[in-house]
Amino acid sequence: MISEKMKGFVAGSSAIRAMFEEGKRMAAEFGADHVYDFSLGNPNVPAPQAVKDAILDITENEDPVMLHGYMNNSGYEDVRQTIAEHLNKNFHTSFSAKNILMTVGAAGGLNVILKTLLNPGDEVVTISPYFGEYRSYVGNFDGVLVESPADPETFYPDFADLKKKITAKTKAMIINSPNNPTGVIYPESVIVELAQLLSEKESECGHPIYLISDEPYREIAFDGETVPWITGYYADSIVGSSFSKSLSLPGERIGYLVLPDSLDGAEDILAAANVANRILGFVNAPSLMQRVVARCIDVRSDVDFYLKNRDDLYLALIEDGYTVVHPDGAFYMWVKSPEEDERAFVDRLKKDEHILAVQGRSFGCKGWVRIAYCVAHETIEGALPGFQRVAEAYGL
Ligand code: PLP
C-alpha cells in the first residue's frame, strides 16, 4: 500500500511525461516520421565533443579510486573552486569552493535547498506559469506552493499580485529565467523591483525570505539577451543551476547550488545543505560528471540550433494567426489556445495532426500550451502544415 502523500503525487503526475509516453506509442503506430513530438524538454543537440574528450581523458588518466570514490557530500573541492572562479569571472562575485554545492541536476539542487529551508506549512511563492515539478518538490517537505499569476501581457511577475502573496508565512520564492514554459527572460528592471519588494517584505515580516533562482537555461539566451545574476541584487539569493541543457547532459544528473556568504544564516545553511544532499540519498553528485563539467566549464552546446528552430517556428505560427510569446531564451514556446479550454486544442493537434504539445494547466496556467522546440529541425518542418491547418480550422 503506497502512502497517502504518494497517492497525491501519482494522481497529479506530470501530463508532460504522459504526453511523451503517448508520443512513443503514436510513433510505433504511425511511424516516427509522422509524429511531431514537442512534449519534453530533452535537448536534441548532442553534448559537445569536449565532453566526450574529457570523459575519455579522465577515465584513462585520473586515479580510479579517487575518481569513483565517495567524497565530501558537497562535491570535489577543486571542482567547486573551478565553478566559483567561473562565476566570479562572469558576474564579478567573490565566491569560493565553500559557496558551491554539487548536486544531482537542478532538480536535486532544488530538493536540497527546500529540505534545508522548509518547515511544514512554510509557503514558497512562485510565478505561474511555472515548471510543474515545483509542486512536488515543495510538497516533498510539506511546504505549500503559492502561485502568483504572471502579467498576461509580458509574463513577468505581476507585482501587485505578488505583494499580496508574499506574507509572514513565506519562507522562499522560486523564480526561473529563462523561463520554462514561456521562454521569457526577466530584465534587470524586473529583478531590481523584485529585490526591492522582497527586502521590504523581509523587514515587514522580521525574517528572511530566500529567493531561489532556478537557472538551468541561463546559457540558452538569444539575440544578445543577458540574464541578470541575482546575488548582486538581493542578499538572500540562492542560485540553482545544471549542465542538463548547457552541455546537453540531462541524463547525467549534474548541477550545483550557489549559497552566498550574504545569506541570512549562511553558515548553518551551508552545513545543512551538505547534510540534506546526503540524507536525501544523493550522497554526492555523480563523481565522473563533476570532473567532466569542471573541464568543460567554458564549453556550450550549440545554441544556434535552438535559435533556428525558434525563428522558423515562431514566424510560422505568427503567420498562421496564433498568439505566441516571443521566446528570448530556453527552448519553449508559449502559445495561446484558440479556444478557452486548451486541452481541446492539445487534443485537436494530437488527433488531427499528430502534433504533441502540453496543456498550460500542467504549468499552473490554463488557456495556453507549451511547445518544446528542442527537436530535430525536420520535426518543425514536418509540423508546420499541421499547425497551419489547425489555425485555419479555428478561423485564425
Ligand atoms: N527547472 C526547470 C525550470 C526545468 O525546466 C528543469 C528541467 O527541465 C529542471 C529544473 C530540472 O533540471 P535538471 O535536469 O538539471 O534536474
Side-chain angles (χ1 to χ4, degrees), residues 40-42 103-110 130-134 137 175-181 214-217 240-245 249-251 253-255 331-332 370:
L40 204 63
N42 210 1
T103 62
V104 176
L110 286 169
Y130 56 87
F131 179 49
E133 297 289 70
Y134 293 162
Y137 299 166
I175 57 169
N176 168 227
S177 164
N179 187 264
N180 174 9
D214 178 27
E215 304 189 352
Y217 303 98
S241 190
S242 78
F243 299 88
S244 300
K245 321 288 173 168
L249 294 173
R253 314 306 307 134
I254 183 74
F331 39 54
Y332 303 106
R370 187 193 79 172

Side-chain angles (χ1 to χ4, degrees), residues 25 34 53 88 95 103 176 195 221 259 375:
R25 191 198 60 71
H34 299 103
D53 293 344
N88 295 343
F95 300 124
T103 62
N176 168 227
L259 301 164
V375 295

Side-chain angles (χ1 to χ4, degrees), residues 26-82:
M26 286 173 68
E29 188 179 343
F30 303 111
D33 289 353
H34 299 103
V35 178
Y36 310 104
D37 189 350
F38 297 97
S39 63
L40 204 63
N42 210 1
N44 201 271
V45 178
Q49 179 64 31
V51 169
K52 185 175 174 189
D53 293 344
I55 293 171
L56 292 176
D57 189 58
I58 292 165
T59 48
E60 193 63 35
N61 295 315
E62 290 201 13
D63 173 1
V65 176
M66 287 296 288
L67 177 60
H68 301 301
Y70 287 128
M71 70 193 76
N72 182 319
N73 303 125
S74 297
Y76 288 117
E77 176 95 10
D78 60 329
V79 170
R80 292 156 62 208
Q81 186 62 31
T82 299

Side-chain angles (χ1 to χ4, degrees), residues 70-74 104 274 276-285:
Y70 287 128
M71 70 193 76
N72 182 319
N73 303 125
S74 297
V104 176
N274 193 326
N277 209 23
R278 188 180 83 231
I279 67 179
L280 279 169
F282 300 133
V283 182
N284 54 251

